[in-house]
Amino acid sequence: MTDQSLGQLGDGLLLATVVVYALAMLGYAGEQASRKARRAVTSVRASSQVLVGAGGPSVTLPAETVTVETPSRSGRFAVALTAFGWAVHVTSLVLRGFAAHRVPWGNMYEFSSAVALVAVTFFLVLVARGRVERALGAFVMLPVVLYLGLASSVLYTAAGPLVPALNSYWIKIHVAAAIMASGSFLLSGVVALLYLLRSRYDAQLTARRTPHFPVSLGAQLPTAPVLDRVSYSVIAFAFPVWTFAIIAGGIWAESAWGRYWGWDPKETWSFITWVLYAGYLHARATAGWKGKKAAWVAVAAAGALIVDYYVVNIFVVGLHSYA
Amino acid sequence: MTVRSEVPGDVKADEEAVRLTTQPKPVGLPRKGDLFGPLRIGWRQLTSMRTALLLLFLLALASVPGGFLPQRRINPLRVNQYIAQHPTAGPLMDRLRLFDVFSSPWFSAIYLLLFVSLVGCLIPRSRLHLKALTSKPPKVPRSIAKLPVNDRWETTDGVDDVLQQASTALRGWRVVRREHEISAEKGYLRETGNLVFHLSLILLLVGIALGAFRGFKATVLVKEGKGFSNTIISFDDVQPGRRFSASSLVPFSVHLDAFRATYGPDGKALTFDAAVHWAPLGGAEKTDDIRVNHPLDVGGAKTYLIGHGYAPHIIVKDTTGAVIDDQLVACLPQNAQFLSTCVIKEANTTGTQFGFRGVFTPTTVTDSTGHVGSSYPGLRNPVLTVAAFVGDLGVDPGTPQSVYNLDTSAMTPVDGGQAHALLPGQVFHLPGGASLTYVDTKQWATFQVTQDPGKGLALVASIGMVGGLMLSLFIRRRRLWVRVRAGGTDGAPTTVEVGGLARTDPERYALEFAALVRQLRPKALSTVVEE
């Protein structure tokens, strides 16, 4: 098989990945819909204990008080689909690597695909180890599908060799670490947003208000402490990796550009991202900053990461402008 | 527990036991008349976590303009362009140091305050941690049942057997036995890692400062067949640190034998390679290749390949036919296809001076209007297009002039400024018998020489940072207490009480605790349900 057709097969498989992930997302959503229906029945049955305002709308208790966990075929099928999509995703990246005779993260298209792969891998690991309910799947797969879809349409680059500056074994180390940290950070950003959603949902219930869309989606989510914990543990894993990625980048820059740090726009935004995540870790240990404020810091940090990859590469001139 | 006779000493001991942190305790307001009171409050404010957090966010915020706006130290040209494009806002932004963010007073103020706050936080924490490291785990709290995880059972084993079993099960913990009680603790490395990480940050700052003060950076353009030596005068541009002394320059010289660039069919660069020979002062000559990602390292001074371009070989003869110039002209690339501009000045002629303005195109294409262009960066169809001028170059020994600019204000264009396209080997005949010959094409490369005495320290600090971080994020600190009460002489069973405390990840500790209890109570008679 020629390099070109290998590359094309890899691209095709990435599209297939997007489709499979989208189907998985529907599976997760289907499970939630059926659970919601079941819960509605339960809440009617429990209505004698439920607060009913005089003439006002009836308010159901927070989800966990009435959740009846029954295994759903749709949910398990969705996890299986995600795992299958994951395998297709891995294959697509491996083929890319063979087509280009190098590591498959040499341009933004490949990089984005690898970042999404890390996020999905992490999510699957968390579900497999029972750290989080698979109900989170629909909310995690939606951004993954959008992200991959955008990456393969807007950022598409055919498989090819690297520019000389990237031709170093450091691309394996520095970029691999950056991808690992980024995939995790983006996942934690999504979870932090979901935490904020769930907190607002809980707050509205406590205030005896009926949550409307999109806050009403909070009912489908794991509890706020679970989301907070998941977001933290993902960041706790990614932060040392990100630190290492920056240091490896410094070592590479020292041999490629003659200095280990030079406030190039990409370096600056990596620094901002790093400082914000350091802020998050401190915030979680500071009175008055725990919970929602810390979650906002995690969201802001993920935002800085997105600026670091996309805005800097596309709009700002710097040494990292490769693709 | 029903004991209610609370002795202040015991309360304090209990507080100590459940305080699983080396974060300094909050201190009350200073006494009246304390002269240093306000200072002390200020210091406490500065070293508090809340202030540190605020400073961290400020640091991130202050870096943002540096991430969007062009910065003078990286790209002075783009800064000037930006200011020219924004005539009102530009100069104001410049005064606010928005184009020199990372050397601005406000940025420096933030990170210096942050580091002062860090030091102020580290000193007491290190002291407390040192104390924790050298002291025994705290006494068993009076009420084990009040601990977040706890269990209680009865067994027929003797007190000593139970304590022995517990000690064996607590391998890897720091265990201390006090009569019928065991206090155990583990995870000290968490705080060690935390302190190492923060100390490494300070070390990193020292390394960076050392490089900024005693470091040196210079660039030089070298044509094939020429060279340079690592001395201040041989460079085109020198950026020494504030405390740099020329005596610390490593003495060596480099000679560029040949430069080679290869390109893919689409014109994307594939490889750059500068074949050089070099020698330390008074040492033997060696050959090497300087490539991107592969600098030449001579005793800590590193030479990098940072740029390249074409240098047509030209010969200029005067009206008598004598060769007055035979050199490689460095042409500066203007686009990715290496359309380059060059200037040739002949000031050392008696009488009329010559000046040439040229455009060099490595793979030449001519459009319908007769304009030359380049369609590929490689050397496929090189053409040197030259226009000649005669008159006064305006060269004044007192004022330096750029070799890349030609001032034609006192010169007359030859042939009405008509440009002549020369292929290699072709001659441009000037009126009066003078001529310019385009012989063939060579190349030039720019090198950067860097000496940074702080980078070793910065690397050590970086390793300390990652190592410290991993310890502080992945090690979990736990305490465990065991109290055993003998059943008395009438054969009553022994009572065992176990309790634990974790500051981090208590959910996981609950599982670990359960596993430990399972191990400890193989012969338990029954579980006494609390309360």
Side-chain angles (χ1 to χ4, degrees):
Chain A
M1 208 181 240
T2 64
D3 288 352
Q4 202 190 354
S5 55
L6 260 186
Q8 280 165 353
L9 183 57
D11 297 340
L13 285 182
L14 187 63
L15 287 181
T17 306
V18 176
V19 173
V20 176
Y21 283 166
L23 286 175
M25 183 183 82
L26 291 179
Y28 292 119
E31 177 182 35
Q32 287 176 355
S34 65
R35 191 191 296 161
K36 198 176 178 186
R38 234 177 295 135
R39 194 177 296 143
V41 174
T42 322
S43 67
V44 169
R45 220 176 286 140
S47 63
S48 55
Q49 308 147 20
V50 166
L51 314 145
V52 182
S58 73
V59 181
T60 50
L61 287 172
E64 62 265 28
T65 57
V66 285
T67 301
V68 189
E69 203 54 66
T70 38
S72 148
R73 197 172 294 168
S74 162
R76 266 177 298 166
F77 186 60
V79 175
L81 265 181
T82 314
F84 174 65
W86 180 86
V88 178
H89 199 165
V90 171
T91 316
S92 136
L93 269 175
V94 170
L95 286 183
R96 260 264 157 175
F98 278 114
H101 303 285
R102 56 169 170 74
V103 288
W105 47 75
N107 53 49
M108 278 170 75
Y109 167 65
E110 296 164 3
F111 185 90
S112 307
S113 169
V115 163
L117 179 67
V118 169
V120 173
T121 310
F122 215 136
F123 171 69
L124 280 173
V125 168
L126 285 173
V127 170
R129 293 176 70 183
R131 298 296 296 261
V132 70
E133 299 108 277
R134 60 168 181 254
L136 206 56
F139 299 92
V140 170
M141 293 323 277
L142 177 69
V144 166
V145 166
L146 289 178
Y147 182 71
L148 271 181
L150 262 177
S152 48
S153 54
V154 180
L155 304 170
Y156 179 74
T157 320
L162 292 172
V163 296
L166 291 181
N167 228 329
S168 160
Y169 62 88
W170 280 106
I171 193 173
K172 296 188 184 119
I173 301 165
H174 165 63
V175 186
I179 287 170
M180 217 147 87
S182 307
S184 316
F185 278 152
L186 290 184
L187 178 66
S188 78
V190 170
V191 177
L193 274 176
L194 296 176
Y195 165 83
L196 289 166
L197 183 77
R198 175 76 209 215
S199 303
R200 176 165 294 183
Y201 173 81
D202 290 347
Q204 292 191 357
L205 283 190
T206 314
R208 300 191 175 181
R209 280 166 43 209
T210 313
H212 295 289
F213 186 83
V215 180
S216 56
L217 284 174
Q220 322 287 324
L221 288 167
T223 60
V226 167
L227 290 170
D228 179 50
R229 213 152 52 226
V230 167
S231 172
Y232 168 75
S233 49
V234 173
I235 290 174
F237 163 81
F239 187 66
V241 180
W242 183 245
T243 310
F244 173 76
I246 293 178
I247 291 166
I251 298 173
W252 186 6
E254 201 273 330
S255 77
W257 302 325
R259 85 288 183 294
Y260 58 86
W261 193 263
W263 297 112
D264 176 70
K266 173 132 319 197
E267 294 170 348
T268 303
W269 278 101
S270 305
F271 172 77
I272 294 171
T273 307
W274 189 86
V275 169
L276 285 175
Y277 278 112
Y280 168 82
L281 291 175
H282 284 92
R284 261 185 121 259
T286 305
W289 277 87
K290 290 169 188 171
K292 276 200 272 184
K293 275 191 194 170
W296 277 116
V297 177
V299 171
L305 186 75
I306 289 169
V307 172
D308 194 11
Y309 284 127
Y310 297 101
V311 179
V312 167
N313 276 39
I314 298 168
F315 300 106
V316 185
V317 178
L319 285 168
H320 279 80
S321 316
Y322 300 119
Chain B
M1 278 293 203
T2 47
V3 188
R4 281 277 170 265
S5 61
E6 282 180 355
V7 190
D10 283 359
V11 174
K12 198 167 175 244
D14 272 10
E15 274 179 8
E16 274 310 314
V18 296
R19 240 176 76 85
L20 194 48
T21 168
T22 43
Q23 242 178 40
K25 277 181 272 189
V27 191
L29 287 170
R31 274 168 293 133
K32 237 183 184 175
D34 183 354
L35 278 179
F36 296 103
L39 267 177
R40 217 166 283 162
I41 292 178
W43 177 250
R44 224 177 286 139
Q45 283 289 337
L46 182 62
T47 56
S48 77
M49 189 79 131
R50 201 176 292 247
T51 311
L53 198 55
L54 228 66
L55 285 169
L56 265 178
F57 294 141
L58 266 180
L59 188 68
L61 193 67
S63 311
V64 170
F68 280 132
L69 295 170
Q71 295 295 298
R72 197 164 270 130
R73 272 173 56 193
I74 304 170
N75 203 333
L77 274 169
R78 285 193 57 236
V79 172
N80 294 341
Q81 232 171 45
Y82 189 94
I83 295 175
Q85 281 165 4
H86 304 82
T88 39
L92 188 72
M93 289 161 80
D94 197 16
R95 201 163 319 150
L96 291 172
R97 305 291 299 271
L98 287 176
F99 304 113
D100 307 274
V101 167
F102 303 105
S103 54
S104 69
W106 42 271
F107 189 81
S108 312
I110 294 169
Y111 76 75
L112 286 177
L113 273 175
L114 190 62
F115 271 89
V116 170
S117 155
L118 176 61
V119 170
C121 187
L122 273 185
I123 293 171
R125 275 188 93 129
S126 304
R127 214 170 36 215
L128 283 170
H129 184 54
L130 216 65
K131 217 173 99 188
L133 278 179
T134 50
S135 57
K136 291 172 185 165
K139 277 186 189 167
V140 180
R142 283 165 306 151
S143 173
I144 283 186
K146 279 184 190 162
L147 290 169
V149 284
N150 62 78
D151 206 343
R152 182 178 162 184
W153 65 87
E154 292 175 344
T155 171
T156 49
D157 286 350
V159 171
D160 281 324
D161 288 343
V162 171
L163 289 172
Q164 191 52 49
Q165 283 164 15
S167 298
T168 319
L170 292 167
R171 199 173 294 266
W173 293 62
R174 179 179 290 188
V175 179
V176 62
R177 187 177 156 177
R178 298 184 182 94
E179 292 177 38
H180 293 171
E181 297 177 347
I182 279 182
S183 304
E185 187 164 348
K186 72 169 182 182
Y188 292 87
L189 275 177
R190 182 186 185 88
E191 180 67 0
T192 309
N194 186 19
L195 293 172
V196 165
F197 168 74
H198 287 95
L199 283 170
S200 300
L201 276 177
I202 297 173
L203 208 63
L204 179 68
L205 192 70
V206 174
I208 292 171
L210 202 64
F213 277 94
R214 299 211 175 266
F216 163 83
K217 186 169 121 180
T219 52
V220 59
L221 184 149
V222 182
K223 297 163 194 167
E224 283 177 322
K226 303 270 186 200
F228 70 93
S229 55
N230 192 23
T231 51
I232 296 284
I233 50 155
S234 64
F235 292 111
D236 300 329
D237 176 53
V238 183
Q239 292 173 37
R242 269 175 258 183
R243 295 273 180 283
F244 174 75
S245 89
S247 62
S248 61
L249 278 176
V250 180
F252 68 95
S253 60
V254 176
H255 185 271
L256 176 62
D257 298 322
F259 177 84
R260 225 174 96 78
T262 54
Y263 304 93
D266 54 353
K268 260 194 194 167
L270 297 177
T271 59
F272 302 122
D273 185 324
V276 297
H277 64 264
W278 63 276
L281 186 70
E285 271 192 356
K286 288 168 199 154
T287 57
D288 207 335
D289 285 285
I290 303 179
R291 299 185 298 269
V292 182
N293 287 318
H294 183 259
L296 171 70
D297 190 346
V298 186
K302 284 193 168 182
T303 306
Y304 300 85
L305 175 65
I306 58 166
H308 69 106
Y310 288 103
H313 178 195
I314 55 113
I315 292 175
V316 181
K317 292 177 182 165
D318 67 8
T319 45
T320 65
V323 174
I324 54 166
D325 195 5
D326 181 350
Q327 64 150 325
L328 305 182
V329 182
C331 297
L332 303 183
Q334 305 297 315
N335 63 23
Q337 309 306 329
F338 274 78
L339 176 132
S340 314
T341 57
C342 357
V343 160
I344 306 160
K345 299 181 196 183
E346 305 302 340
N348 300 327
T349 48
T350 44
T352 356
Q353 295 181 328
F354 299 111
F356 302 92
R357 208 174 260 165
V359 170
F360 176 79
T361 40
T363 298
T364 312
V365 284
T366 314
D367 67 12
S368 50
T369 59
H371 281 101
V372 290
S374 180
S375 61
Y376 187 74
L379 209 56
R380 286 180 174 170
N381 175 25
V383 170
L384 181 63
T385 309
V386 216
F389 299 84
V390 289
D392 185 2
L393 282 168
V395 180
D396 173 1
T399 44
Q401 213 183 33
S402 168
V403 292
Y404 302 110
N405 278 321
L406 185 66
D407 177 10
T408 56
S409 56
M411 305 189 92
T412 19
V414 175
D415 291 350
Q418 177 73 44
H420 292 246
L422 304 177
L423 294 172
Q426 286 187 332
V427 186
F428 178 9
H429 293 284
L430 295 160
S435 68
L436 177 140
T437 311
Y438 166 33
V439 183
D440 59 5
T441 319
K442 300 278 186 209
Q443 302 194 58
W444 56 260
T446 35
F447 294 102
Q448 176 184 304
V449 180
T450 311
Q451 279 181 234
D452 184 347
K455 75 185 172 199
L457 191 61
L459 183 63
V460 170
S462 305
I463 294 167
M465 275 168 65
V466 176
L469 257 184
M470 288 174 57
L471 289 180
S472 77
L473 287 171
F474 301 140
I475 299 250
R476 296 184 177 88
R477 195 151 180 210
R478 276 104 172 67
R479 270 181 195 159
L480 189 109
W481 292 281
V482 185
R483 176 178 288 139
V484 187
R485 239 172 295 207
T489 46
D490 54 351
T494 311
T495 314
V496 184
E497 275 185 290
V498 186
L501 178 72
R503 234 181 95 71
T504 47
D505 212 351
E507 297 80 18
R508 187 173 294 190
Y509 186 45
L511 299 176
E512 291 171 19
F513 183 81
L516 212 80
V517 166
R518 267 198 303 280
Q519 207 182 329
L520 276 179
R521 49 183 289 191
K523 292 175 195 164
L525 296 176
S526 65
T527 303
V528 182
V529 180
E530 284 285 314
E531 256 74 50

